[in-house]
Amino acid sequence: SSLSADTTQLPTTVVKNMPDALAGIHMNFLLRSSLEIPNGSMQSALKQNEARFEVLGTIVPNLDFRVRWRLNRSQAPKSLDNSPGSIDIASVNYAFGKEKKWSIQVGKQAAFVGSWEFEKNPTFEYQYSEFVNFQANIFMMGMKLGYQINENHAAYLQLHNTYNEDFTQAHAIAGYSTNGNKPSKSPMGVYTTWRGKMFDNKFQTFWSYDISKFASGQWNHSIALGNKLVVDRFEVYLDLQTANLALDHPNIASPSVNNYRLRMNSGLKPVFANDLNYKSAILRVDYEFVDKWFITGKGIFEAASQTKNNSVIGRNFRENIGLLAGIEYQPIASQQMKMFGYYYHNKVNYKGEVKMANTRTNLNLFAVGILYFINVF
Amino acid sequence: SSLSADTTQLPTTVVKNMPDALAGIHMNFLLRSSLEIPNGSMQSALKQNEARFEVLGTIVPNLDFRVRWRLNRSQAPKSLDNSPGSIDIASVNYAFGKEKKWSIQVGKQAAFVGSWEFEKNPTFEYQYSEFVNFQANIFMMGMKLGYQINENHAAYLQLHNTYNEDFTQAHAIAGYSTNGNKPSKSPMGVYTTWRGKMFDNKFQTFWSYDISKFASGQWNHSIALGNKLVVDRFEVYLDLQTANLALDHPNIASPSVNNYRLRMNSGLKPVFANDLNYKSAILRVDYEFVDKWFITGKGIFEAASQTKNNSVIGRNFRENIGLLAGIEYQPIASQQMKMFGYYYHNKVNYKGEVKMANTRTNLNLFAVGILYFINVF
Amino acid sequence: SSLSADTTQLPTTVVKNMPDALAGIHMNFLLRSSLEIPNGSMQSALKQNEARFEVLGTIVPNLDFRVRWRLNRSQAPKSLDNSPGSIDIASVNYAFGKEKKWSIQVGKQAAFVGSWEFEKNPTFEYQYSEFVNFQANIFMMGMKLGYQINENHAAYLQLHNTYNEDFTQAHAIAGYSTNGNKPSKSPMGVYTTWRGKMFDNKFQTFWSYDISKFASGQWNHSIALGNKLVVDRFEVYLDLQTANLALDHPNIASPSVNNYRLRMNSGLKPVFANDLNYKSAILRVDYEFVDKWFITGKGIFEAASQTKNNSVIGRNFRENIGLLAGIEYQPIASQQMKMFGYYYHNKVNYKGEVKMANTRTNLNLFAVGILYFINVF
């Protein structure tokens, strides 16, 4: 099925007589372009939504490589990891042990966080949650140890950098005071992840727990429960996440807290907010209703809270809500090329004390375009 | 002939035993380097004139892709189209209808403006007019509908973004005041283009009309008539263009108008000039005078005018004139690798009121180097 | 042997049935990632040490091309050569003459300076001297004429840009006054280089002399003597260099001289120091002590002097010292993939008058990671 376009499977779209030298080697382009028409005074324009290049493969058994980069992102390296935002993946994976059940992947790689939204190939994901866009450090330097328990279940430990920028640079980019916080000597973390398949592969789990540090002595904890169901012409995922961040270095809800604090006391300096909790629920449904025609729907609900020490900020003070409905047409069965149209509604609401210092945002977007996951060879 | 190096044809340079998996797939590099020796105090140096990478092909009939990017241009995306200046092309082309006479190309693509100068592969075009360099938004997001009328004639409609930067960012980059202008809600336009072949393909037309908007309520109109003659060892193109820009967002002649205005009134703020007309005539001749040896000559004449409401700026107030003469040697018939030397003279003249506030520029450049359009496979 | 991984040889790692169309064509990735743990308050993190992409080959006899670029470096072009720091190599090489003993390489290329350290593929060189990192303009636009004297000896003349940035931009980046210096009209130089093989290829020389200009009328001279010994499972190189720079445009020792001058007279403006001499000795030893296991050691000693006109700055006023010891494991003989761990100590010392105005630096770094020179095809 064209639905199973996840990034962990090597594509085998058209059967061709592949020469020995290229067997196991793949070159891909990930393209998506669309005409976007937003509401209000925002400008309508043709947008380059995705443009990525990928080479991956297996030259000898048990040793894989994968390199993927975005063509529309600066290649200037970030301060902590010496890697630019343009590089998604540049890693080596080595399987070892009897029966090759163990593997170690080293290099720039995808965070192994329980998110089917993120796991989906970006060619096919029109609009992302703030969880994927900002909260999780989705492409990062890591070392991932894997163990294939049996045919259906695998467990992973992934050592990773918490963020791509170092403590000082992250504050400089945001224009924030460090507020007495100090950089962690080792701004890293560990994901513990379970990938499972059940009920004849119809149901798949992708569950993770992460512990990490950004500032000295301040621990972040997060749980992500990704669940996917694939039945016939129907595919649905539901991702549930909760994270307690000692310091809000992703800077999603901090601006609204700063607006509130500055309104109370205009002499304060803006800072990364402390002790935020982020929750998110993301649901996507895809259905091939007749041959070559698909409908897709997506719902995003995310909320930020600050409740520690009876904070006046309170529960769910900032909500991010997204709703998408779209239709897709795939004229050629062997090629993951789709013409699409979708409508997307997004709003950010504020509640409680924070509400008076922040204005809700509202986006209504209509888009029509073409996507193509090009498996060159 | 080595002359027909236009970018719309797939290269078939050396006949090799191509495996199935790569049939229809091409990888190219476009390289040109030279030692440039200018007159006056400008520094002589070895220059990387061109360095582009390209992958293009047809995996299944009726569906093509093409991606080409410059290796010596920042990958940071522009404000309106989310695409960097480094990406020339990242598009998908789908042919449809009975007999596949219809086609739709979506993504970053070449403006389908009537310019053989621009249509020529950049490996082989040493010096460009201001029309190609600045005036036309040559690589842009677009949706191009084509109809092949018969074997020799085709017609196209191309919806396109007017510019890569949005209204606010374009003003910020130039350091200009918006002068009371407002951004267009839809800063886009449409090219209507005719490509024709006549007289046994010896004469080819590439004519276009464009209407577009950049600022709210202000329409731009342009006509471009590209004409090409290929006879035996002789190739010549003559491109004629005229454009009326309601607002000079390409900012070619505005600096000289601002210099004049500020001299009249030093309290004024610089702005994009209104109601400019640009005209250009570009002629290039290539001739293989003996086997493997070519001479090439190019003439550029461009003029800007502001005549609306009897403007004091007047007709042809700024002229850009370029003259190039060169010699090329292609030692290996199958490979588009040439050693070259050329002389280029360029000057910018001012006339009328604007002349007193602007100094004419004068460039005499001698260059010697190597170019190679590398068809890797 | 896996030791001979120099960048001038085409890799032939795994024997595969290569189709005609790809015979002589190679695509490579150069990856190295590691967990770096430094001493003191510097942050530990996973680092992307190397991420480069390369395509090279020979499509017809006597004509080669090679393009290699870094994926983690900005693609914005530099002011003098129009080439970004990301591009290492983008050149064409053409062999000519009877018996094809002559060759001309044009484009971005490696400085043909006598440095086995630099000649080694960067995948395998963990830490560089300041000579390679800053002093030599290692990847630059050039035109290199070669003559193969006999099977074992070759001589080269390489015309090259002295620096990637022009005079004005180099000063602007450093924030320095031009100190009365003027830009050279032709900021270029020439390397004269000898490559030799002796004693049944066990001993190889790579010796060069360079003369170049950066500022008008101010000549730089340098001599570099690279020596390499390869015996069985043992490989060692010793590179010795000395350079007299009329103006210290690489800006290695100038900051410490400026600190001293400003301490003497706080009204002075920082400048590139005049008449510096840089010396360096770099030794690396690699030994495969049992199958698949390697030890590697490297020593770097570099010193800067200013002795002309009895300068108070004096001899060896700044020293850069580096010591590295590491172990490598290469599990698969055919694949240049290694797991490694190393310890690196680096310090910068100051002597004499300059000492009082500068603080010595001290780095102790432990690193563990994976490298893979991926010969995709």
Short mmCIF file of all heavy atoms in Angstrom, two decimals, chain A residues 59-60 63 92, chain C residues 1-6 9-14 29-31 120-121 123-124 329-339 370-375:
data_model
loop_
_atom_site.label_atom_id
_atom_site.label_comp_id
_atom_site.label_asym_id
_atom_site.label_seq_id
_atom_site.Cartn_x
_atom_site.Cartn_y
_atom_site.Cartn_z
N ILE A 59 26.28 -1.66 1.93
CA ILE A 59 27.31 -2.09 0.99
C ILE A 59 27.75 -3.51 1.30
O ILE A 59 27.94 -4.32 0.41
CB ILE A 59 28.50 -1.11 1.03
CG1 ILE A 59 28.01 0.26 0.56
CG2 ILE A 59 29.64 -1.60 0.15
CD1 ILE A 59 28.98 1.38 0.82
N VAL A 60 27.92 -3.80 2.58
CA VAL A 60 28.17 -5.17 3.02
C VAL A 60 27.14 -5.50 4.08
O VAL A 60 26.61 -4.61 4.74
CB VAL A 60 29.60 -5.35 3.60
CG1 VAL A 60 30.65 -5.15 2.52
CG2 VAL A 60 29.83 -4.39 4.75
N LEU A 63 26.17 -3.63 7.84
CA LEU A 63 26.66 -2.27 7.94
C LEU A 63 25.86 -1.38 7.00
O LEU A 63 25.92 -1.54 5.79
CB LEU A 63 28.15 -2.22 7.60
CG LEU A 63 28.83 -0.86 7.73
CD1 LEU A 63 28.76 -0.34 9.16
CD2 LEU A 63 30.29 -0.96 7.27
N VAL A 92 25.76 5.95 10.69
CA VAL A 92 26.25 4.62 10.36
C VAL A 92 25.58 3.65 11.32
O VAL A 92 25.48 3.95 12.51
CB VAL A 92 27.79 4.58 10.55
CG1 VAL A 92 28.32 3.19 10.32
CG2 VAL A 92 28.46 5.60 9.65
N SER C 1 46.26 -2.39 2.21
CA SER C 1 46.15 -1.98 3.61
C SER C 1 45.14 -0.85 3.76
O SER C 1 45.00 0.00 2.91
CB SER C 1 47.52 -1.51 4.13
OG SER C 1 47.34 -0.70 5.27
N SER C 2 44.45 -0.85 4.86
CA SER C 2 43.47 0.20 5.12
C SER C 2 44.15 1.52 5.44
O SER C 2 43.51 2.54 5.57
CB SER C 2 42.60 -0.20 6.30
OG SER C 2 42.01 -1.43 6.04
N LEU C 3 45.45 1.48 5.59
CA LEU C 3 46.14 2.70 5.95
C LEU C 3 46.24 3.66 4.77
O LEU C 3 46.26 4.87 4.95
CB LEU C 3 47.56 2.36 6.44
CG LEU C 3 47.61 1.67 7.80
CD1 LEU C 3 48.96 1.06 8.03
CD2 LEU C 3 47.29 2.68 8.89
N SER C 4 46.32 3.13 3.57
CA SER C 4 46.55 3.98 2.40
C SER C 4 45.25 4.60 1.93
O SER C 4 44.77 4.34 0.86
CB SER C 4 47.16 3.17 1.28
OG SER C 4 46.28 2.12 0.94
N ALA C 5 44.69 5.45 2.76
CA ALA C 5 43.39 6.06 2.45
C ALA C 5 43.57 7.47 1.94
O ALA C 5 42.78 8.34 2.22
CB ALA C 5 42.52 6.04 3.69
N ASP C 6 44.63 7.73 1.19
CA ASP C 6 44.81 9.11 0.78
C ASP C 6 43.80 9.51 -0.29
O ASP C 6 43.18 8.68 -0.95
CB ASP C 6 46.26 9.41 0.40
CG ASP C 6 46.63 9.00 -1.00
OD1 ASP C 6 45.85 9.27 -1.92
OD2 ASP C 6 47.72 8.44 -1.15
N GLN C 9 43.76 8.68 -4.46
CA GLN C 9 43.50 7.40 -5.08
C GLN C 9 42.00 7.14 -5.15
O GLN C 9 41.28 7.40 -4.21
CB GLN C 9 44.16 6.28 -4.27
CG GLN C 9 45.68 6.41 -4.25
CD GLN C 9 46.32 5.29 -3.46
OE1 GLN C 9 45.64 4.65 -2.65
NE2 GLN C 9 47.58 5.04 -3.70
N LEU C 10 41.59 6.60 -6.27
CA LEU C 10 40.18 6.22 -6.38
C LEU C 10 39.98 4.96 -5.57
O LEU C 10 40.78 4.03 -5.64
CB LEU C 10 39.82 5.97 -7.84
CG LEU C 10 39.97 7.19 -8.75
CD1 LEU C 10 39.50 6.86 -10.15
CD2 LEU C 10 39.15 8.35 -8.20
N PRO C 11 38.92 4.92 -4.79
CA PRO C 11 38.70 3.77 -3.94
C PRO C 11 38.15 2.57 -4.73
O PRO C 11 37.35 2.73 -5.64
CB PRO C 11 37.67 4.25 -2.93
CG PRO C 11 36.96 5.35 -3.63
CD PRO C 11 37.90 5.94 -4.62
N THR C 12 38.61 1.41 -4.42
CA THR C 12 38.06 0.17 -5.00
C THR C 12 37.94 -0.82 -3.87
O THR C 12 38.74 -1.72 -3.73
CB THR C 12 38.99 -0.40 -6.08
OG1 THR C 12 40.29 -0.54 -5.48
CG2 THR C 12 39.08 0.50 -7.29
N THR C 13 36.93 -0.61 -3.06
CA THR C 13 36.87 -1.35 -1.81
C THR C 13 36.30 -2.74 -1.99
O THR C 13 36.90 -3.73 -1.63
CB THR C 13 36.04 -0.57 -0.78
OG1 THR C 13 34.80 -0.22 -1.39
CG2 THR C 13 36.76 0.67 -0.36
N VAL C 14 35.10 -2.81 -2.56
CA VAL C 14 34.47 -4.11 -2.71
C VAL C 14 34.35 -4.39 -4.20
O VAL C 14 33.89 -3.54 -4.96
CB VAL C 14 33.07 -4.12 -2.07
CG1 VAL C 14 32.46 -5.51 -2.16
CG2 VAL C 14 33.14 -3.64 -0.63
N PHE C 29 30.79 9.12 0.68
CA PHE C 29 30.49 9.96 1.83
C PHE C 29 31.62 9.82 2.84
O PHE C 29 32.16 8.73 3.02
CB PHE C 29 29.17 9.54 2.52
CG PHE C 29 27.95 10.02 1.82
CD1 PHE C 29 27.25 9.18 0.98
CD2 PHE C 29 27.51 11.32 1.97
CE1 PHE C 29 26.11 9.62 0.32
CE2 PHE C 29 26.37 11.77 1.32
CZ PHE C 29 25.67 10.92 0.49
N LEU C 30 31.97 10.90 3.48
CA LEU C 30 33.01 10.91 4.50
C LEU C 30 32.35 11.30 5.82
O LEU C 30 31.99 12.46 6.03
CB LEU C 30 34.09 11.96 4.16
CG LEU C 30 35.00 11.71 2.95
CD1 LEU C 30 34.26 11.80 1.63
CD2 LEU C 30 36.15 12.73 2.94
N LEU C 31 32.17 10.33 6.69
CA LEU C 31 31.45 10.59 7.95
C LEU C 31 32.33 10.28 9.15
O LEU C 31 33.01 9.27 9.18
CB LEU C 31 30.18 9.72 8.03
CG LEU C 31 29.11 9.89 6.97
CD1 LEU C 31 27.93 8.98 7.29
CD2 LEU C 31 28.64 11.34 6.86
N LYS C 120 46.07 13.35 3.80
CA LYS C 120 45.29 12.23 4.34
C LYS C 120 43.81 12.58 4.23
O LYS C 120 43.39 13.72 4.41
CB LYS C 120 45.66 12.02 5.81
CG LYS C 120 45.28 10.64 6.35
CD LYS C 120 45.86 10.43 7.74
CE LYS C 120 45.59 9.02 8.23
NZ LYS C 120 46.48 8.03 7.60
N ASN C 121 43.01 11.58 3.91
CA ASN C 121 41.57 11.81 3.83
C ASN C 121 41.05 12.32 5.18
O ASN C 121 41.36 11.74 6.22
CB ASN C 121 40.87 10.51 3.45
CG ASN C 121 39.43 10.72 3.10
OD1 ASN C 121 38.64 11.15 3.94
ND2 ASN C 121 39.07 10.47 1.86
N THR C 123 38.41 12.04 6.73
CA THR C 123 37.70 11.04 7.53
C THR C 123 38.60 10.51 8.64
O THR C 123 38.12 10.21 9.74
CB THR C 123 37.27 9.85 6.65
OG1 THR C 123 36.69 10.33 5.44
CG2 THR C 123 36.29 8.96 7.38
N PHE C 124 39.91 10.40 8.34
CA PHE C 124 40.82 9.66 9.21
C PHE C 124 41.75 10.55 10.04
O PHE C 124 42.59 10.06 10.76
CB PHE C 124 41.67 8.71 8.36
CG PHE C 124 40.85 7.81 7.49
CD1 PHE C 124 40.74 8.03 6.13
CD2 PHE C 124 40.16 6.76 8.05
CE1 PHE C 124 39.97 7.21 5.33
CE2 PHE C 124 39.37 5.93 7.26
CZ PHE C 124 39.28 6.16 5.90
N TYR C 329 39.36 0.28 15.80
CA TYR C 329 38.95 -1.10 15.47
C TYR C 329 38.18 -1.07 14.18
O TYR C 329 37.20 -0.32 14.04
CB TYR C 329 38.10 -1.66 16.62
CG TYR C 329 37.46 -2.99 16.31
CD1 TYR C 329 38.22 -4.11 15.95
CD2 TYR C 329 36.08 -3.15 16.39
CE1 TYR C 329 37.62 -5.33 15.67
CE2 TYR C 329 35.47 -4.37 16.12
CZ TYR C 329 36.25 -5.46 15.74
OH TYR C 329 35.65 -6.65 15.46
N GLN C 330 38.63 -1.87 13.20
CA GLN C 330 37.99 -1.92 11.89
C GLN C 330 37.41 -3.31 11.69
O GLN C 330 38.09 -4.22 11.23
CB GLN C 330 39.03 -1.62 10.80
CG GLN C 330 38.45 -1.61 9.40
CD GLN C 330 39.52 -1.31 8.35
OE1 GLN C 330 40.69 -1.17 8.67
NE2 GLN C 330 39.09 -1.19 7.10
N PRO C 331 36.12 -3.50 12.01
CA PRO C 331 35.60 -4.87 12.04
C PRO C 331 35.50 -5.55 10.68
O PRO C 331 35.59 -6.77 10.60
CB PRO C 331 34.21 -4.71 12.68
CG PRO C 331 33.85 -3.29 12.49
CD PRO C 331 35.13 -2.52 12.47
N ILE C 332 35.30 -4.77 9.60
CA ILE C 332 35.08 -5.37 8.28
C ILE C 332 36.22 -4.95 7.37
O ILE C 332 36.39 -3.77 7.07
CB ILE C 332 33.73 -4.91 7.70
CG1 ILE C 332 32.60 -5.30 8.66
CG2 ILE C 332 33.50 -5.51 6.32
CD1 ILE C 332 31.30 -4.55 8.41
N ALA C 333 37.01 -5.92 6.91
CA ALA C 333 38.24 -5.61 6.19
C ALA C 333 37.98 -4.76 4.95
O ALA C 333 38.75 -3.85 4.64
CB ALA C 333 38.95 -6.90 5.80
N SER C 334 36.88 -5.01 4.25
CA SER C 334 36.65 -4.31 2.98
C SER C 334 36.11 -2.89 3.17
O SER C 334 36.08 -2.12 2.22
CB SER C 334 35.68 -5.10 2.11
OG SER C 334 34.36 -4.96 2.61
N GLN C 335 35.67 -2.57 4.35
CA GLN C 335 35.02 -1.29 4.57
C GLN C 335 35.86 -0.42 5.50
O GLN C 335 36.20 -0.83 6.61
CB GLN C 335 33.63 -1.49 5.18
CG GLN C 335 32.68 -2.24 4.28
CD GLN C 335 32.38 -1.48 2.99
OE1 GLN C 335 31.89 -0.37 3.03
NE2 GLN C 335 32.71 -2.06 1.84
N GLN C 336 36.10 0.81 5.07
CA GLN C 336 36.90 1.72 5.87
C GLN C 336 36.04 2.34 6.95
O GLN C 336 35.90 3.56 7.03
CB GLN C 336 37.56 2.76 4.97
CG GLN C 336 38.45 2.09 3.94
CD GLN C 336 39.50 3.00 3.37
OE1 GLN C 336 40.05 3.84 4.05
NE2 GLN C 336 39.78 2.83 2.09
N MET C 337 35.45 1.49 7.76
CA MET C 337 34.65 1.90 8.91
C MET C 337 35.42 1.52 10.17
O MET C 337 35.85 0.38 10.30
CB MET C 337 33.29 1.20 8.89
CG MET C 337 32.32 1.68 9.97
SD MET C 337 32.53 0.92 11.59
CE MET C 337 31.54 -0.58 11.37
N LYS C 338 35.63 2.50 11.03
CA LYS C 338 36.38 2.24 12.26
C LYS C 338 35.66 2.81 13.46
O LYS C 338 35.09 3.89 13.39
CB LYS C 338 37.78 2.89 12.17
CG LYS C 338 38.73 2.23 11.19
CD LYS C 338 40.08 2.97 11.17
CE LYS C 338 41.07 2.27 10.26
NZ LYS C 338 42.35 3.03 10.16
N MET C 339 35.69 2.06 14.54
CA MET C 339 35.30 2.58 15.84
C MET C 339 36.59 3.04 16.51
O MET C 339 37.61 2.37 16.40
CB MET C 339 34.64 1.50 16.67
CG MET C 339 33.37 0.97 15.99
SD MET C 339 32.81 -0.57 16.70
CE MET C 339 31.49 -0.98 15.55
N ILE C 370 32.61 6.80 15.77
CA ILE C 370 32.69 5.96 14.57
C ILE C 370 33.03 6.83 13.38
O ILE C 370 32.52 7.96 13.26
CB ILE C 370 31.34 5.22 14.33
CG1 ILE C 370 31.19 4.04 15.29
CG2 ILE C 370 31.23 4.72 12.89
CD1 ILE C 370 29.94 3.18 15.06
N LEU C 371 33.88 6.31 12.50
CA LEU C 371 34.13 6.95 11.21
C LEU C 371 33.86 5.94 10.10
O LEU C 371 33.98 4.72 10.31
CB LEU C 371 35.56 7.49 11.12
CG LEU C 371 36.75 6.52 11.20
CD1 LEU C 371 37.04 5.87 9.84
CD2 LEU C 371 37.97 7.24 11.70
N TYR C 372 33.48 6.45 8.94
CA TYR C 372 33.20 5.55 7.80
C TYR C 372 33.43 6.34 6.53
O TYR C 372 32.76 7.35 6.29
CB TYR C 372 31.74 5.06 7.89
CG TYR C 372 31.34 3.94 6.95
CD1 TYR C 372 32.25 3.29 6.11
CD2 TYR C 372 30.01 3.51 6.91
CE1 TYR C 372 31.84 2.26 5.26
CE2 TYR C 372 29.60 2.47 6.06
CZ TYR C 372 30.53 1.86 5.25
OH TYR C 372 30.12 0.85 4.41
N PHE C 373 34.42 5.90 5.76
CA PHE C 373 34.60 6.44 4.41
C PHE C 373 33.76 5.54 3.50
O PHE C 373 34.15 4.40 3.22
CB PHE C 373 36.08 6.42 4.01
CG PHE C 373 36.31 6.90 2.61
CD1 PHE C 373 36.44 8.25 2.35
CD2 PHE C 373 36.37 6.02 1.55
CE1 PHE C 373 36.65 8.70 1.05
CE2 PHE C 373 36.57 6.46 0.25
CZ PHE C 373 36.70 7.81 0.00
N ILE C 374 32.60 6.03 3.10
CA ILE C 374 31.62 5.20 2.40
C ILE C 374 31.83 5.34 0.89
O ILE C 374 31.55 6.38 0.31
CB ILE C 374 30.19 5.62 2.76
CG1 ILE C 374 29.99 5.61 4.27
CG2 ILE C 374 29.18 4.71 2.06
CD1 ILE C 374 28.70 6.28 4.73
N ASN C 375 32.29 4.29 0.29
CA ASN C 375 32.39 4.25 -1.17
C ASN C 375 31.07 3.66 -1.69
O ASN C 375 30.92 2.46 -1.84
CB ASN C 375 33.58 3.38 -1.59
CG ASN C 375 33.71 3.22 -3.08
OD1 ASN C 375 33.99 2.14 -3.58
ND2 ASN C 375 33.46 4.28 -3.83
#
